[in-house]
Amino acid sequence: MLLGVERGASRLLNDALVLVRAPVEQAKPDGERLEEYSDARFPALRQRLLAEMPISGDLETLTLAYWLGKVREILGPDDPAVHELLGTQSPEQLAATLVKGTRLGDAALRKRLLEGGQSAIGAANDPMIAFARRLDALARPVRKQLEDEYDSVLDSAGGKIARAQFAVYGNAVYPDATFTMRISYGAVQGWDENGKGVPPLTRFSGLFQRATGAEPFRLPDRWTAAKDSLTPSTVFDFATTNDIVGGNSGSPVLDRKGNVMGLAFDGNFQSLGGDFGYDPAVNRSVVVSSVAIREALAKVYGATALLDELGTVPTH
């Protein structure tokens, strides 16, 4: 549970933890560092840390309080780690204190602290950094145990299982994902749901027919203002039989000639089981069409410079 914050429980605490760990890890030989601080991976972590993006104090307080509450719930209120982290405060009180008192929402400050190294971090009078130090001391032994006794076993056994699977099935089954480029083949096709056919295409006209002016069907003002300039028959989204899962969002969808037809961004409800199996009768990916993107950029967002960059995209 102490590792959960590293997976996005709180942006501000995540940033504080990176700042606390960075000078410690970078003082080590590359092969001995936590993997995200290696020479190969740290540039991406640094870019995320220094990115200028809005941070909602209310959301940070809510997510941090939730994470602290789960730590107390899972470890128990009498656990020494819980006492070390919470002291006499409730999760809600501590989260509010940390978020209100920290200045890490300032990207320029994060940059100065990162570049200042251990001396700058040590001199920082910031409650979130102080809390991150306490958390780091507690989380490191847990992470080492996880990597030594769990991850290493899975890595070793995973290789043996993969070799055995290949010996039995050869290339008749999908390989495991390896973060390499993959191609999935499919066709534009609807599906049947509760005895009713679901068409594979949606159009701009359907968007405005669905809009009610109230959540969750309230359109942004700029879309409402652009209604009369948009072509109602333009294909907005389309469904395909491509077998995709979470993490494929943003993948280009090409036709047989290599033309970009759109970008995959979602799946239908039935595709949620795609992590475990693919049912060609109902599993569908959902793609926003290239022509819809171009028309929206031109008529809704006025992004002419971006359109010029994109060049010519087929409009079929």
Side-chain angles (χ1 to χ4, degrees):
M1 187 62 211
L2 289 176
L3 299 177
V5 68
E6 300 177 28
R7 301 185 179 123
S10 163
R11 169 65 192 266
L12 289 171
L13 180 52
N14 244 307
D15 289 348
L17 198 58
V18 172
L19 290 169
V20 166
R21 286 179 170 176
V24 176
E25 295 302 312
Q26 290 176 329
K28 302 176 183 177
D30 188 47
E32 297 178 11
R33 300 173 191 169
L34 296 174
E35 59 180 356
E36 63 269 29
Y37 296 88
S38 66
D39 288 341
R41 295 187 58 181
F42 186 69
L45 183 61
R46 183 181 189 277
Q47 182 179 31
R48 187 203 64 77
L49 173 70
L50 302 183
E52 293 195 27
M53 56 189 301
I55 296 178
S56 167
D58 289 343
L59 181 59
E60 285 292 306
T61 302
L62 181 66
T63 55
L64 183 54
Y66 175 80
W67 178 76
L68 289 167
K70 296 302 288 186
V71 169
R72 186 176 64 181
E73 175 187 329
I74 292 172
L75 298 182
D78 298 323
D79 189 279
V82 174
H83 283 290
E84 176 66 19
L85 292 176
L86 291 177
T88 60
Q89 292 183 285
S90 70
E92 293 76 16
Q93 289 171 330
L94 180 58
T97 299
L98 293 175
V99 173
K100 184 177 181 180
T102 188
R103 296 183 296 124
L104 292 183
D106 181 357
L109 173 62
R110 298 196 299 271
K111 188 172 188 293
R112 289 197 300 272
L113 291 173
L114 181 65
E115 294 177 349
Q118 188 65 63
S119 59
I121 299 298
N125 184 22
D126 190 287
M128 194 69 78
I129 288 179
F131 181 79
R133 288 197 194 97
R134 301 202 304 272
L135 175 61
D136 183 41
L138 294 167
R140 279 181 181 270
V142 178
R143 176 162 174 172
K144 187 177 189 309
Q145 183 181 10
L146 178 70
E147 292 175 347
D148 292 348
E149 301 178 14
Y150 179 78
D151 290 343
S152 62
V153 174
L154 287 183
D155 290 343
S156 175
K160 295 176 183 178
I161 293 170
R163 288 191 292 273
Q165 183 184 42
F166 185 76
V168 174
Y169 297 107
N171 60 4
V173 296
Y174 281 158
D176 287 339
T178 59
F179 296 100
T180 55
M181 296 287 286
R182 299 299 173 94
I183 297 177
S184 169
Y185 295 93
V188 176
Q189 186 176 311
W191 71 98
D192 289 333
E193 189 164 340
N194 298 325
K196 182 179 179 181
V198 179
L201 307 177
T202 64
R203 302 180 186 274
F204 278 162
S205 57
L207 170 70
F208 292 103
Q209 289 170 4
R210 178 65 64 87
T212 63
E215 298 295 349
F217 301 115
R218 187 181 72 81
L219 292 179
D221 292 341
R222 64 173 60 191
W223 276 87
T224 302
K227 177 180 179 180
D228 292 339
S229 65
L230 294 169
T231 305
S233 60
T234 296
V235 174
F236 202 162
D237 300 323
F238 58 92
T240 77
T241 59
N242 291 76
D243 181 13
I244 64 171
V245 294
N248 290 124
S249 294
S251 298
V253 177
L254 314 178
D255 66 11
R256 66 183 63 190
K257 296 180 180 179
N259 297 313
V260 179
M261 305 305 296
L263 295 176
F265 74 95
D266 204 350
N268 64 353
F269 180 80
Q270 290 86 341
S271 72
L272 292 176
D275 285 350
F276 307 100
Y278 172 72
D279 183 351
V282 292
N283 282 42
R284 295 293 181 269
S285 61
V286 181
V287 183
V288 58
S289 77
S290 296
V291 65
I293 293 173
R294 287 188 59 85
E295 191 164 351
L297 288 174
K299 299 177 180 179
V300 178
Y301 300 105
T304 54
L306 181 55
L307 278 171
D308 291 341
E309 251 187 78
L310 289 173
T312 302
V313 177
T315 56
H316 40 287

